[in-house]
Amino acid sequence: MSERGPATAPSEPSPATPSATTTPTTPGSAAAPLAAARRTGLLVTFILGGLTALPPLSMDMYLPALPEVTTALNSPAATVQLTLTACLAGMALGQLVIGPMSDRWGRRRPLLVGMVVYVLATAICALAPSAELLIGFRLLQGLAGAAAIVIARAVVRDLYDGVEMARFFSTLMLISGSAPIIAPLIGGQVLRFADWRGVFVVLTAVGAVLTLVTWRCLGETLPPERRHTGGVGAALRTMGGLLGDRVFTGYTLAGGFAFAALFAYISASPFVVQEIYGASPQAFSLLFGLNSVGLIAAGQVNGKLLVGRVSMDKVLAVGLGLITAASAALLLMSAGVFGEVGLVPIAAGLFVLMSAMGVVLPNTNALALMRTPHAAGSASALLGTSSFLVGAVASPLVGIAGEDTAVPMAVVQVVCSLLSVACFLGMCRPWKSSPAGAP
């Protein structure tokens, strides 16, 4: 595999993708639509933030209801956790299709079609009479919702490059990172007045509003002259070329395994916090929200203070080290090495793990996408698919020993953290290059 990616050097903006700081505005030029899109500033930021927030909203708002669903549908916890796995797998597979579609037909049309299907699928989830049907509709929800996250990431690549792109990803973290705070809180409050089906009613309304705002306010960001004209074969060749870049693949896998460690927490925490430690759905929501505050704060430190001053590879290395240390501590505590521990030490370890994601996830995305200005949709699809597929595999593993132990969750987190570090060091080899973001 190549040491250098197919793109220009990461520290230099691609001629086809001008940076946010140097934007040609000549009427009729290819970059004019991008300049107009950037001038919308805050509006575009909120729309893209809302789109990237849709996956955590779809999963996290539902988390406080998981124990209730097991009772209402008369299904074991492992089966109900498959509703999370199905949604995650759908988002992974959907990105593989929708990402290349957006490189060929533009960002707007595939995004709107996906959003409409998402709203319909979510409404059907509220009516599911059995766990098996709920799993099926959650799969469809994930397949359609994949359009939001993969195209939002591709739009960022259309509009920004280099350090500006990394900063924008950290800004998106402020919005999308708020979703894990708000979602369980909303879910917990909905459960005060309705059963678990009410959560999907609220998600349907959120999806409908986001679809309307996107239709009215988000224009096309990929000019026709920059679109791919090939069919399925061309899309597969493009993805093959991206995977042939060892460094791009290294960042993709490092981010994917880190996300799997995060999703092991997302999938297991309702049972760990509520069933093992006896917290109420509302208390669980508050703890989950506190951890998300740590993720947002770390993301803002990354974007506002570190990017452009410290090498993104160095920041990423520290983040991966914190995730690994937190996972190891959680495993030792869960296995009883320190005796019987309460909720506070476990919550502290989860807080460190969640906070470190605020620097790991935006930096792996930015470092990977810097190498692929020619195929942002396909690259975004590979980034998202790797994360969601590995997360989908991790989800059922955390419940393999039942609801009475947190050891499987911690084991999955340790293994995924070590694999993430191995991919970063073995494939990216950051000591051999100086990507954008180096001072």
Side-chain angles (χ1 to χ4, degrees):
M1 296 185 182
S2 62
E3 181 71 27
R4 293 288 181 186
T8 54
S11 58
E12 300 174 0
S14 166
T17 311
S19 72
T21 56
T22 307
T23 305
T25 56
T26 304
S29 70
L34 304 187
R38 289 195 191 101
R39 283 197 297 270
T40 61
L42 190 61
L43 178 60
V44 168
T45 300
F46 275 110
I47 292 174
L48 296 179
L51 292 172
T52 56
L54 195 62
L57 278 174
S58 300
M59 291 181 287
D60 298 345
M61 193 181 296
Y62 175 61
L63 292 179
L66 281 178
E68 180 182 323
V69 176
T70 62
T71 302
L73 298 183
N74 194 27
S75 298
T79 299
V80 172
Q81 282 176 328
L82 288 176
T83 62
L84 290 175
T85 302
C87 185
L88 205 60
M91 288 181 179
L93 297 174
Q95 291 183 69
L96 283 178
V97 176
I98 298 170
M101 284 174 59
S102 74
D103 282 337
R104 182 177 184 184
W105 290 303
R107 314 301 186 200
R108 183 174 166 82
R109 282 184 292 174
L111 174 59
L112 290 175
V113 171
M115 291 298 296
V116 169
V117 176
Y118 171 87
V119 171
L120 295 175
T122 306
I124 295 172
C125 284
L127 305 174
S130 67
E132 290 74 20
L133 287 175
L134 181 59
I135 290 170
F137 289 132
R138 287 281 278 176
L139 176 65
L140 178 61
Q141 182 192 42
L143 287 168
I149 189 169
V150 70
I151 294 180
R153 202 159 39 217
V155 167
V156 174
R157 187 63 186 91
D158 292 340
L159 299 178
Y160 297 96
D161 200 2
V163 169
E164 290 298 323
M165 180 171 59
R167 286 179 175 155
F168 195 87
F169 273 124
S170 291
T171 300
L172 287 187
M173 187 69 69
L174 176 62
I175 301 173
S176 62
S178 299
I181 300 175
I182 298 171
L185 293 174
I186 296 175
Q189 295 307 310
V190 168
L191 293 177
R192 287 180 176 270
F193 306 101
D195 63 6
W196 63 271
R197 299 179 190 275
V199 174
F200 286 105
V201 173
V202 174
L203 281 173
T204 301
V206 170
V209 171
L210 186 56
T211 301
L212 178 62
V213 173
T214 300
W215 173 62
R216 293 291 301 272
C217 303
L218 184 64
E220 181 59 64
T221 61
L222 186 67
E225 61 271 18
R226 289 178 51 201
R227 297 176 189 176
H228 294 188
T229 57
V232 175
L236 292 175
R237 286 192 295 273
T238 298
M239 288 189 173
L242 293 172
L243 292 174
D245 176 12
R246 171 176 50 75
V247 180
F248 169 82
T249 303
Y251 286 125
T252 299
L253 291 176
F257 283 118
F259 181 82
L262 171 63
F263 198 75
Y265 155 69
I266 292 174
S267 181
S269 60
F271 297 98
V272 171
V273 174
Q274 295 181 74
E275 301 297 328
I276 298 177
Y277 292 99
S280 68
Q282 290 71 38
F284 162 73
S285 299
L286 289 173
L287 287 174
F288 197 92
L290 179 63
N291 289 340
S292 299
V293 169
L295 182 146
I296 292 174
Q300 293 312 292
V301 169
N302 178 66
K304 304 299 183 184
L305 300 179
L306 301 179
V307 171
R309 296 180 176 87
V310 182
S311 164
M312 280 189 280
D313 277 319
K314 292 180 180 177
V315 177
L316 178 57
V318 172
L320 291 175
L322 288 173
I323 290 173
T324 304
S327 300
L330 286 167
L331 178 58
L332 294 174
M333 287 187 288
S334 301
V337 173
F338 303 121
E340 185 175 347
V341 299
L343 178 59
V344 173
I346 295 290
L350 293 173
F351 178 82
V352 173
L353 184 144
M354 189 87 162
S355 298
M357 295 294 174
V359 297
V360 170
L361 298 182
N363 284 344
T364 51
N365 284 339
L367 286 164
L369 287 173
M370 281 178 192
R371 305 178 69 85
T372 61
H374 61 297
S378 296
S380 178
L382 290 172
L383 280 168
T385 297
S386 65
S387 297
F388 284 98
L389 275 181
V390 178
V393 172
S395 176
L397 295 178
V398 300
I400 198 169
E403 305 172 26
D404 300 324
T405 175
V407 171
M409 176 192 75
V411 169
V412 171
Q413 289 171 334
V414 168
V415 171
C416 290
S417 299
L418 292 174
L419 288 173
S420 182
V421 171
C423 291
F424 175 59
L425 296 178
M427 301 179 72
C428 302
R429 301 177 187 175
W431 59 87
K432 290 190 175 182
S433 61
S434 181

